[in-house]
Amino acid sequence: MTLTHFSSFASRDDALQYDKNDPLATLRDAFSLPGNVIYLDGNSLGASPAAAVRRAQQVIEGEWSEQLIRSWNTAGWFDLPKRLGNKLAPLLGAAQDETVITDTISINLFKVLSAALGMQQQCDAARTVIISERSNFPSDLYIAEGVIAQLGGRHTLKLIDDPSELPDVIDASTAIVMLTQVNYRTGYLHDMATLTALTQARGALAVWDLAHSAGAVEVDLNGANADYAVGCTYKYLNGGPGSPGFVWVPKRHQDAFSQPLSGWWGHQAPFAMESAYRPDPGIARFLCGTQPIVSMALVECGLDTFSKTDMAALRRKSLALTDAFIACVEARCGSHDLTLVTPRDHARRGSHVSFASPHGYEVMQALIARGVIGDYREPSVLRFGFTPLYTRFVDVWDAAQILGDILDSGAWRQFAKATRDQVT
Amino acid sequence: MTLTHFSSFASRDDALQYDKNDPLATLRDAFSLPGNVIYLDGNSLGASPAAAVRRAQQVIEGEWSEQLIRSWNTAGWFDLPKRLGNKLAPLLGAAQDETVITDTISINLFKVLSAALGMQQQCDAARTVIISERSNFPSDLYIAEGVIAQLGGRHTLKLIDDPSELPDVIDASTAIVMLTQVNYRTGYLHDMATLTALTQARGALAVWDLAHSAGAVEVDLNGANADYAVGCTYKYLNGGPGSPGFVWVPKRHQDAFSQPLSGWWGHQAPFAMESAYRPDPGIARFLCGTQPIVSMALVECGLDTFSKTDMAALRRKSLALTDAFIACVEARCGSHDLTLVTPRDHARRGSHVSFASPHGYEVMQALIARGVIGDYREPSVLRFGFTPLYTRFVDVWDAAQILGDILDSGAWRQFAKATRDQVT
């Protein structure tokens, strides 16, 4: 399947033929999807694995209700962060015992930035700058601000406006380069290996946020020799609404510094009830407190949806889907004011496609009313996520046609811009 | 029902008669409890509300699978931390909009200690000492260590060995007095109002951990004029294994200081996607990132189990249960080496009873094998939790008789001390 120069489907039947020939088409059967929508927002909240409701029932009835406190041991609740972290590892290019599922992405970023700044403080106290992108997901920037304030203000956060500035700005004052691999708004994909090498060549540490890349693109943390990474499980990993995040620390850094959220789950002997903190020597020191087990258990159902394929195959289909969507929209809606925000270059594209539209918010509301669920991001961005596990080529065709209808008819005009809280 | 000088039941029938006369007896019907155990560990993991499994099914099938991303708004997911915090408030003596359900107790303590130290830094930078008890739940002490290290080491953690030392140790160097209202091991209950007043009279701030008191004893945070509080929902509040914790901040302190886990859920306009952090002016600034919605939704089922009673009635029954258990154990097991660790004084007793035993670990294993589920805490403590929502007087009688049998027969000897991970 080579769609790099794809020029739209000839017809809906043509799209259906692509689905017929798609070797991954049956993976969709593992999901519980409503019949009346085209879901293009798996980059915000992954669809529900069909196994999730049974798993929740098992945890609540079989483990919690029946076995009660004993399930911390007998049902393996206490080991879930490490066991599921190891199950996630192959999707990240991580080794075993380098990843834990826990807490939230923002909290994990706080741990990681604190540990990385602590390492730099020991090595070279003159390195006080965290570099990131102004267009990074805001919470990452807010967390960097929080860490900096807590450390007394001797560090600074430097924001760049374009990735091309990186070679110039990383210097002897740089402590950390903190990047999100795939930009939440534009879908721009950073070259992790090259940027990590550049960062480290200048003596800084590379911290990666994989929110929009884990389960979406081929990630190779150890191949890139990354320093730290965080991510979430509720987008492409299909772990459920707000399911716990993850934190990855390579073995070489694990005992380098103790992170400040030093709760008892990160202690070397949590049940010895010692009054002083002794961090676990391994990845467990990045744990803090007791985890939400029902939500945590459902992460496994999400990870299991990857068991019959691999990231290389998923990436091929993801690029085919996004190529096709760009082509179909441009063919069907070319006369309207839509600007492709996402790179055409495969090497720079994640798994979602964004178009800027002067009436983006209203257009997205109209799409949702017609059953095409994408989302809107300030300012003016229509965002469409393509999840190769369950998105079909015919969904691509249909979504582009409906978008064309809405723009042709002006039907979006009836959707006034109002409150629009939505969670990324 | 006055059991202060209770001298054991005359017989099992006598205990059954107490259940017959118990106005709260029917509250047990709201729980899904296995028939073959006497559950005395609700202080570690509350029992499952019968409504929980249906609620999980509704969230997964009706909200996640069917409505997908739209449920953040239509199912009110985004508002759960605040809405459930307000539902919890009456059990804590809290006003509306002072409590959020979020993250874990350890993480919430990190936020609160950071905010309180920040306030003190602004008011009186010479106040650099956090006072707590050596016997406090270890994670609280570890978190204080983590905050102190992050702040550069100019603060110290001072641990006292007995609450009677407090009037002497709180002085002009004290920034915070951090106490857990009910001690996790002994069941000792602090006088929140008196200690808060003492703390504040000396210019320090009173931070309370309510892990073993929320839903167990009458808590009156505003009545005591407390400064900050944290707690968990998975013990007496029956929210489910590892269900999210809570943080309480009175209105007078909410905008005093921004806590460092400054994620986007704490931003004044989270969906404006601004690159700089502007904390919400109210309690929402104590939120950080996206919450685990399935686990979070089940917290409501736990809170609903309180809807047909109040804390005064529950406290009366709790004291009756613990009085009866102490009396029954002393009557049945008086010849054995058991030492009551929990205060006899009602004013100093939480809702669990602990006995030290030279073979505590083995004795607890033998009890569990006989279906009496309490837990063991280092060193040598048998811990029995009494949850007035579902614990019966006949459970008290039966548990004491089985404990007597085990001690008489030496049946505990077959349970070797081995790995014993268990979660408090």
PDB file of all heavy atoms in Angstrom, chain B residues 59-79:
ATOM      1  N   VAL B  59     -20.764   3.806  32.875  1.00  0.00           N
ATOM      2  CA  VAL B  59     -19.687   4.691  32.420  1.00  0.00           C
ATOM      3  C   VAL B  59     -19.020   4.104  31.177  1.00  0.00           C
ATOM      4  O   VAL B  59     -18.758   4.816  30.209  1.00  0.00           O
ATOM      5  CB  VAL B  59     -18.641   4.917  33.537  1.00  0.00           C
ATOM      6  CG1 VAL B  59     -17.435   5.687  33.000  1.00  0.00           C
ATOM      7  CG2 VAL B  59     -19.261   5.660  34.709  1.00  0.00           C
ATOM      8  N   ILE B  60     -18.776   2.806  31.199  1.00  0.00           N
ATOM      9  CA  ILE B  60     -18.029   2.201  30.086  1.00  0.00           C
ATOM     10  C   ILE B  60     -18.911   2.026  28.849  1.00  0.00           C
ATOM     11  O   ILE B  60     -18.513   2.381  27.735  1.00  0.00           O
ATOM     12  CB  ILE B  60     -17.414   0.856  30.526  1.00  0.00           C
ATOM     13  CG1 ILE B  60     -16.375   1.103  31.625  1.00  0.00           C
ATOM     14  CG2 ILE B  60     -16.783   0.129  29.333  1.00  0.00           C
ATOM     15  CD1 ILE B  60     -15.880  -0.151  32.308  1.00  0.00           C
ATOM     16  N   GLU B  61     -20.120   1.485  29.036  1.00  0.00           N
ATOM     17  CA  GLU B  61     -20.974   1.227  27.868  1.00  0.00           C
ATOM     18  C   GLU B  61     -21.731   2.485  27.415  1.00  0.00           C
ATOM     19  O   GLU B  61     -21.740   2.823  26.236  1.00  0.00           O
ATOM     20  CB  GLU B  61     -21.969   0.106  28.178  1.00  0.00           C
ATOM     21  CG  GLU B  61     -21.267  -1.237  28.363  1.00  0.00           C
ATOM     22  CD  GLU B  61     -22.239  -2.402  28.473  1.00  0.00           C
ATOM     23  OE1 GLU B  61     -23.382  -2.177  28.936  1.00  0.00           O
ATOM     24  OE2 GLU B  61     -21.852  -3.532  28.128  1.00  0.00           O
ATOM     25  N   GLY B  62     -22.367   3.160  28.388  1.00  0.00           N
ATOM     26  CA  GLY B  62     -23.229   4.283  28.005  1.00  0.00           C
ATOM     27  C   GLY B  62     -22.449   5.551  27.703  1.00  0.00           C
ATOM     28  O   GLY B  62     -22.793   6.309  26.800  1.00  0.00           O
ATOM     29  N   GLU B  63     -21.404   5.806  28.492  1.00  0.00           N
ATOM     30  CA  GLU B  63     -20.702   7.088  28.361  1.00  0.00           C
ATOM     31  C   GLU B  63     -19.456   6.973  27.470  1.00  0.00           C
ATOM     32  O   GLU B  63     -19.325   7.709  26.501  1.00  0.00           O
ATOM     33  CB  GLU B  63     -20.346   7.613  29.764  1.00  0.00           C
ATOM     34  CG  GLU B  63     -21.605   7.850  30.607  1.00  0.00           C
ATOM     35  CD  GLU B  63     -21.333   8.228  32.058  1.00  0.00           C
ATOM     36  OE1 GLU B  63     -20.164   8.471  32.424  1.00  0.00           O
ATOM     37  OE2 GLU B  63     -22.312   8.273  32.839  1.00  0.00           O
ATOM     38  N   TRP B  64     -18.572   6.053  27.806  1.00  0.00           N
ATOM     39  CA  TRP B  64     -17.335   5.936  27.001  1.00  0.00           C
ATOM     40  C   TRP B  64     -17.634   5.340  25.619  1.00  0.00           C
ATOM     41  O   TRP B  64     -17.404   5.983  24.590  1.00  0.00           O
ATOM     42  CB  TRP B  64     -16.311   5.111  27.764  1.00  0.00           C
ATOM     43  CG  TRP B  64     -14.995   4.866  27.077  1.00  0.00           C
ATOM     44  CD1 TRP B  64     -14.455   5.543  26.010  1.00  0.00           C
ATOM     45  CD2 TRP B  64     -14.034   3.859  27.426  1.00  0.00           C
ATOM     46  NE1 TRP B  64     -13.228   5.021  25.686  1.00  0.00           N
ATOM     47  CE2 TRP B  64     -12.943   3.987  26.524  1.00  0.00           C
ATOM     48  CE3 TRP B  64     -13.975   2.861  28.404  1.00  0.00           C
ATOM     49  CZ2 TRP B  64     -11.819   3.147  26.594  1.00  0.00           C
ATOM     50  CZ3 TRP B  64     -12.859   2.042  28.470  1.00  0.00           C
ATOM     51  CH2 TRP B  64     -11.797   2.183  27.569  1.00  0.00           C
ATOM     52  N   SER B  65     -18.192   4.125  25.565  1.00  0.00           N
ATOM     53  CA  SER B  65     -18.359   3.448  24.273  1.00  0.00           C
ATOM     54  C   SER B  65     -19.309   4.207  23.356  1.00  0.00           C
ATOM     55  O   SER B  65     -19.021   4.388  22.167  1.00  0.00           O
ATOM     56  CB  SER B  65     -18.901   2.028  24.479  1.00  0.00           C
ATOM     57  OG  SER B  65     -18.066   1.286  25.324  1.00  0.00           O
ATOM     58  N   GLU B  66     -20.446   4.638  23.871  1.00  0.00           N
ATOM     59  CA  GLU B  66     -21.489   5.224  23.023  1.00  0.00           C
ATOM     60  C   GLU B  66     -21.254   6.701  22.743  1.00  0.00           C
ATOM     61  O   GLU B  66     -21.359   7.157  21.605  1.00  0.00           O
ATOM     62  CB  GLU B  66     -22.862   5.066  23.695  1.00  0.00           C
ATOM     63  CG  GLU B  66     -23.524   3.727  23.450  1.00  0.00           C
ATOM     64  CD  GLU B  66     -23.829   3.486  21.973  1.00  0.00           C
ATOM     65  OE1 GLU B  66     -24.428   4.370  21.299  1.00  0.00           O
ATOM     66  OE2 GLU B  66     -23.450   2.402  21.498  1.00  0.00           O
ATOM     67  N   GLN B  67     -20.963   7.453  23.776  1.00  0.00           N
ATOM     68  CA  GLN B  67     -20.855   8.912  23.616  1.00  0.00           C
ATOM     69  C   GLN B  67     -19.426   9.363  23.377  1.00  0.00           C
ATOM     70  O   GLN B  67     -19.186  10.521  23.022  1.00  0.00           O
ATOM     71  CB  GLN B  67     -21.445   9.613  24.851  1.00  0.00           C
ATOM     72  CG  GLN B  67     -22.951   9.446  24.959  1.00  0.00           C
ATOM     73  CD  GLN B  67     -23.661  10.018  23.739  1.00  0.00           C
ATOM     74  OE1 GLN B  67     -23.412  11.166  23.350  1.00  0.00           O
ATOM     75  NE2 GLN B  67     -24.522   9.222  23.117  1.00  0.00           N
ATOM     76  N   LEU B  68     -18.481   8.495  23.664  1.00  0.00           N
ATOM     77  CA  LEU B  68     -17.068   8.767  23.388  1.00  0.00           C
ATOM     78  C   LEU B  68     -16.635  10.115  23.983  1.00  0.00           C
ATOM     79  O   LEU B  68     -17.010  10.431  25.107  1.00  0.00           O
ATOM     80  CB  LEU B  68     -16.835   8.665  21.869  1.00  0.00           C
ATOM     81  CG  LEU B  68     -16.974   7.211  21.342  1.00  0.00           C
ATOM     82  CD1 LEU B  68     -17.395   7.165  19.881  1.00  0.00           C
ATOM     83  CD2 LEU B  68     -15.642   6.471  21.530  1.00  0.00           C
ATOM     84  N   ILE B  69     -15.864  10.878  23.227  1.00  0.00           N
ATOM     85  CA  ILE B  69     -15.288  12.122  23.745  1.00  0.00           C
ATOM     86  C   ILE B  69     -16.353  13.096  24.268  1.00  0.00           C
ATOM     87  O   ILE B  69     -16.099  13.904  25.160  1.00  0.00           O
ATOM     88  CB  ILE B  69     -14.446  12.797  22.626  1.00  0.00           C
ATOM     89  CG1 ILE B  69     -13.654  13.981  23.161  1.00  0.00           C
ATOM     90  CG2 ILE B  69     -15.315  13.224  21.444  1.00  0.00           C
ATOM     91  CD1 ILE B  69     -12.514  13.595  24.058  1.00  0.00           C
ATOM     92  N   ARG B  70     -17.570  12.998  23.733  1.00  0.00           N
ATOM     93  CA  ARG B  70     -18.616  13.939  24.134  1.00  0.00           C
ATOM     94  C   ARG B  70     -18.944  13.855  25.613  1.00  0.00           C
ATOM     95  O   ARG B  70     -19.454  14.806  26.215  1.00  0.00           O
ATOM     96  CB  ARG B  70     -19.880  13.695  23.302  1.00  0.00           C
ATOM     97  CG  ARG B  70     -19.668  13.993  21.831  1.00  0.00           C
ATOM     98  CD  ARG B  70     -20.820  13.511  20.970  1.00  0.00           C
ATOM     99  NE  ARG B  70     -20.828  12.064  20.841  1.00  0.00           N
ATOM    100  CZ  ARG B  70     -21.592  11.382  19.973  1.00  0.00           C
ATOM    101  NH1 ARG B  70     -22.406  12.048  19.162  1.00  0.00           N
ATOM    102  NH2 ARG B  70     -21.540  10.071  19.909  1.00  0.00           N
ATOM    103  N   SER B  71     -18.655  12.685  26.237  1.00  0.00           N
ATOM    104  CA  SER B  71     -19.012  12.515  27.646  1.00  0.00           C
ATOM    105  C   SER B  71     -18.259  13.442  28.589  1.00  0.00           C
ATOM    106  O   SER B  71     -18.691  13.658  29.718  1.00  0.00           O
ATOM    107  CB  SER B  71     -18.795  11.063  28.074  1.00  0.00           C
ATOM    108  OG  SER B  71     -19.821  10.247  27.543  1.00  0.00           O
ATOM    109  N   TRP B  72     -17.124  13.981  28.144  1.00  0.00           N
ATOM    110  CA  TRP B  72     -16.446  14.953  29.008  1.00  0.00           C
ATOM    111  C   TRP B  72     -17.401  16.070  29.377  1.00  0.00           C
ATOM    112  O   TRP B  72     -17.336  16.623  30.479  1.00  0.00           O
ATOM    113  CB  TRP B  72     -15.185  15.504  28.337  1.00  0.00           C
ATOM    114  CG  TRP B  72     -14.038  14.545  28.437  1.00  0.00           C
ATOM    115  CD1 TRP B  72     -13.482  13.796  27.434  1.00  0.00           C
ATOM    116  CD2 TRP B  72     -13.298  14.207  29.624  1.00  0.00           C
ATOM    117  NE1 TRP B  72     -12.459  13.017  27.944  1.00  0.00           N
ATOM    118  CE2 TRP B  72     -12.321  13.251  29.270  1.00  0.00           C
ATOM    119  CE3 TRP B  72     -13.385  14.628  30.961  1.00  0.00           C
ATOM    120  CZ2 TRP B  72     -11.428  12.702  30.202  1.00  0.00           C
ATOM    121  CZ3 TRP B  72     -12.496  14.080  31.888  1.00  0.00           C
ATOM    122  CH2 TRP B  72     -11.531  13.130  31.509  1.00  0.00           C
ATOM    123  N   ASN B  73     -18.301  16.395  28.431  1.00  0.00           N
ATOM    124  CA  ASN B  73     -19.303  17.422  28.725  1.00  0.00           C
ATOM    125  C   ASN B  73     -20.646  16.822  29.097  1.00  0.00           C
ATOM    126  O   ASN B  73     -21.205  17.114  30.142  1.00  0.00           O
ATOM    127  CB  ASN B  73     -19.456  18.350  27.518  1.00  0.00           C
ATOM    128  CG  ASN B  73     -18.147  19.006  27.150  1.00  0.00           C
ATOM    129  OD1 ASN B  73     -17.484  19.600  27.988  1.00  0.00           O
ATOM    130  ND2 ASN B  73     -17.749  18.862  25.902  1.00  0.00           N
ATOM    131  N   THR B  74     -21.161  15.934  28.211  1.00  0.00           N
ATOM    132  CA  THR B  74     -22.550  15.484  28.391  1.00  0.00           C
ATOM    133  C   THR B  74     -22.717  14.611  29.627  1.00  0.00           C
ATOM    134  O   THR B  74     -23.777  14.621  30.253  1.00  0.00           O
ATOM    135  CB  THR B  74     -23.037  14.719  27.149  1.00  0.00           C
ATOM    136  OG1 THR B  74     -22.142  13.615  26.916  1.00  0.00           O
ATOM    137  CG2 THR B  74     -23.054  15.609  25.926  1.00  0.00           C
ATOM    138  N   ALA B  75     -21.701  13.854  29.989  1.00  0.00           N
ATOM    139  CA  ALA B  75     -21.816  13.017  31.184  1.00  0.00           C
ATOM    140  C   ALA B  75     -21.170  13.687  32.397  1.00  0.00           C
ATOM    141  O   ALA B  75     -21.109  13.091  33.471  1.00  0.00           O
ATOM    142  CB  ALA B  75     -21.159  11.654  30.932  1.00  0.00           C
ATOM    143  N   GLY B  76     -20.700  14.913  32.206  1.00  0.00           N
ATOM    144  CA  GLY B  76     -20.160  15.663  33.340  1.00  0.00           C
ATOM    145  C   GLY B  76     -18.826  15.152  33.871  1.00  0.00           C
ATOM    146  O   GLY B  76     -18.465  15.416  35.017  1.00  0.00           O
ATOM    147  N   TRP B  77     -18.077  14.432  33.037  1.00  0.00           N
ATOM    148  CA  TRP B  77     -16.793  13.900  33.527  1.00  0.00           C
ATOM    149  C   TRP B  77     -15.875  15.012  34.031  1.00  0.00           C
ATOM    150  O   TRP B  77     -15.230  14.868  35.059  1.00  0.00           O
ATOM    151  CB  TRP B  77     -16.063  13.138  32.410  1.00  0.00           C
ATOM    152  CG  TRP B  77     -16.668  11.841  32.020  1.00  0.00           C
ATOM    153  CD1 TRP B  77     -17.666  11.155  32.642  1.00  0.00           C
ATOM    154  CD2 TRP B  77     -16.279  11.032  30.890  1.00  0.00           C
ATOM    155  NE1 TRP B  77     -17.923   9.980  31.982  1.00  0.00           N
ATOM    156  CE2 TRP B  77     -17.091   9.890  30.902  1.00  0.00           C
ATOM    157  CE3 TRP B  77     -15.335  11.190  29.871  1.00  0.00           C
ATOM    158  CZ2 TRP B  77     -16.973   8.883  29.928  1.00  0.00           C
ATOM    159  CZ3 TRP B  77     -15.208  10.200  28.915  1.00  0.00           C
ATOM    160  CH2 TRP B  77     -16.025   9.050  28.945  1.00  0.00           C
ATOM    161  N   PHE B  78     -15.826  16.101  33.256  1.00  0.00           N
ATOM    162  CA  PHE B  78     -14.864  17.149  33.609  1.00  0.00           C
ATOM    163  C   PHE B  78     -15.179  17.769  34.976  1.00  0.00           C
ATOM    164  O   PHE B  78     -14.281  18.230  35.678  1.00  0.00           O
ATOM    165  CB  PHE B  78     -14.850  18.229  32.514  1.00  0.00           C
ATOM    166  CG  PHE B  78     -13.753  19.232  32.708  1.00  0.00           C
ATOM    167  CD1 PHE B  78     -12.421  18.888  32.486  1.00  0.00           C
ATOM    168  CD2 PHE B  78     -14.035  20.519  33.147  1.00  0.00           C
ATOM    169  CE1 PHE B  78     -11.399  19.805  32.686  1.00  0.00           C
ATOM    170  CE2 PHE B  78     -13.013  21.441  33.334  1.00  0.00           C
ATOM    171  CZ  PHE B  78     -11.698  21.086  33.110  1.00  0.00           C
ATOM    172  N   ASP B  79     -16.446  17.754  35.354  1.00  0.00           N
ATOM    173  CA  ASP B  79     -16.839  18.383  36.618  1.00  0.00           C
ATOM    174  C   ASP B  79     -16.797  17.438  37.813  1.00  0.00           C
ATOM    175  O   ASP B  79     -17.069  17.859  38.944  1.00  0.00           O
ATOM    176  CB  ASP B  79     -18.264  18.958  36.488  1.00  0.00           C
ATOM    177  CG  ASP B  79     -18.288  20.130  35.509  1.00  0.00           C
ATOM    178  OD1 ASP B  79     -17.306  20.889  35.483  1.00  0.00           O
ATOM    179  OD2 ASP B  79     -19.288  20.263  34.779  1.00  0.00           O
TER     180      ASP B  79
END
